[in-house]
Amino acid sequence: MTATSTDQQDVHDIATLMRRRRMHREFDERPVPRDALETMAWAATRAQQARSGVRHIVVVDDPAVMTAARQVLPGFINNAPAMIVHCTDVIRAAQVLGPRGVEVTSRLDAGAACAHLALMGQTLGLGVCTVTSWTESAVQALLELPEHIRPDVTVAVGYVSTSPAPPARGFQTHYHHNRFADGA
Ligand SMILES: Cc1cc2nc3c(=O)[nH]c(=O)nc-3n(C[C@H](O)[C@H](O)[C@H](O)COP(=O)(O)O)c2cc1C
């Protein structure tokens, strides 16, 4: 098997994508084609969801909006040319699932969507950075969201080097078996 065919095989191997997954804050200047962003947004829509009709996805590739995002979202510390924003219709969430729909399940839906679109991005040579350090009102004003549409997460998207430097740090997870005490 040639190196090229191995690479092509790896890029669609889910375990390989998970192992290579990392956040990126430095991106190429190349704009991201709209169809690539739509493919990532589609992946987000395929993520698990507690109830239908709650999730809204906003794809942003207007350079003026991206410039404004960097000015009004303090956590958006990257040079990405595009972003995908996962939002929740809080009225619909309350109707179909009550307060837990607004405060719990829709947040889980948002996390699942982030994981899906990030993995899809990797298959397209695109990297992401999940960003939540901002106020909801700032994102609502930036994207002209109606009051009942709550932004959950903004995900920076752009092309990354095929061999980026390793991430600065690894986050630790604690595993437990059967009971909390049986863990490391
Ligand atoms: C829910 C969530 C919120 C985050 N918010 C921000 C943020 O506001 N700004 C930012 O630059 N990175 C943010 N990150 C990225 C984390 O800091 C990142 O996961 C961490 O640097 C570890 O990098 P790694 O995922 O590449 O291991 C966020 C990540 C998650 C999962």
Side-chain angles (χ1 to χ4, degrees), residues 34 37-38 41 57-61 83-85:
R34 180 66 67 88
L37 291 169
E38 300 290 349
I57 306 275
V58 183
V59 174
V60 180
D61 59 1
M83 69 176 168
I84 296 176
V85 184

Side-chain angles (χ1 to χ4, degrees), residues 41-66:
W42 172 83
T45 69
R46 291 295 305 133
Q48 63 196 53
Q49 205 181 0
R51 291 290 187 278
S52 178
V54 171
R55 174 180 279 151
H56 287 252
I57 306 275
V58 183
V59 174
V60 180
D61 59 1
D62 180 338
V65 180
M66 293 305 298

Side-chain angles (χ1 to χ4, degrees), residues 21-23 25 75-77 129-133 167 169-171:
R21 186 216 62 79
R22 54 159 295 185
M23 298 291 177
R25 294 185 180 83
F76 209 82
I77 43 173
C129 188
T130 307
V131 176
T132 56
S133 296
R169 55 183 175 175
F171 281 11

Side-chain angles (χ1 to χ4, degrees), residues 14 22-24 34 47-48 50 57 66 72 83-84 95 103 125 140 152 172 175:
I14 196 78
R22 54 159 295 185
M23 298 291 177
H24 297 269
R34 180 66 67 88
Q48 63 196 53
I57 306 275
M66 293 305 298
V72 301
M83 69 176 168
I84 296 176
Q95 283 169 347
E103 290 309 330
Q140 280 180 313
D152 302 310
Q172 193 186 356
Y175 293 99

Side-chain angles (χ1 to χ4, degrees), residues 51-128:
R51 291 290 187 278
S52 178
V54 171
R55 174 180 279 151
H56 287 252
I57 306 275
V58 183
V59 174
V60 180
D61 59 1
D62 180 338
V65 180
M66 293 305 298
T67 298
R70 274 178 264 281
Q71 290 163 352
V72 301
L73 312 180
F76 209 82
I77 43 173
N78 61 74
N79 66 341
M83 69 176 168
I84 296 176
V85 184
H86 186 287
C87 306
T88 292
D89 180 335
V90 293
I91 293 178
R92 170 88 180 152
Q95 283 169 347
V96 293
L97 274 170
R100 282 184 67 80
V102 177
E103 290 309 330
V104 180
T105 62
S106 55
R107 306 284 189 187
L108 297 173
D109 295 347
C114 285
H116 265 223
L117 70 85
L119 287 170
M120 181 61 86
Q122 282 176 273
T123 72
L124 302 168
L126 291 159
V128 303

